Amino acid sequence: MCRSIKTLRPPALPEEATEEDIRAAALQYVRKVSGFRAPAAHNREVFDRAVEAIAEATADLLDNLEVRGAPARQAAAS
């Protein structure tokens, strides 16, 4: 769908994805889906909410994925 969004889980990413990585991917997704690189002022709030919701969902996904040979992010962070 969006070629500029990179895979954020091991082994594609040698280190753990940062919050910045996750937010950048969420922003790229919202830009692609909405068709706006930067929303107009009257759409800013809904655009920002979408980015935050997708970033949260992405972090939750990465925290709970079980990748063979690699611990979950949460377990690795402990």
Side-chain angles (χ1 to χ4, degrees):
M1 173 172 181
C2 190
R3 293 183 186 128
S4 61
I5 299 175
K6 64 183 179 180
T7 301
L8 298 180
R9 66 161 180 81
L13 194 64
E15 69 281 351
E16 185 176 310
T18 64
E19 285 183 34
E20 184 177 307
D21 294 328
I22 292 169
R23 188 166 191 323
L27 178 59
Q28 287 294 348
Y29 177 81
V30 171
R31 285 175 172 169
K32 183 69 168 188
V33 170
S34 70
F36 296 112
R37 176 160 169 58
H42 63 279
N43 285 325
R44 170 58 63 190
E45 185 179 339
V46 70
F47 190 92
D48 290 344
R49 277 197 324 258
V51 171
E52 291 308 314
I54 292 166
E56 286 179 30
T58 301
D60 183 55
L61 173 68
L62 293 174
D63 283 344
N64 292 293
L65 276 178
E66 291 184 29
V67 180
R68 292 181 185 197
R73 286 180 66 218
Q74 213 167 29
S78 300

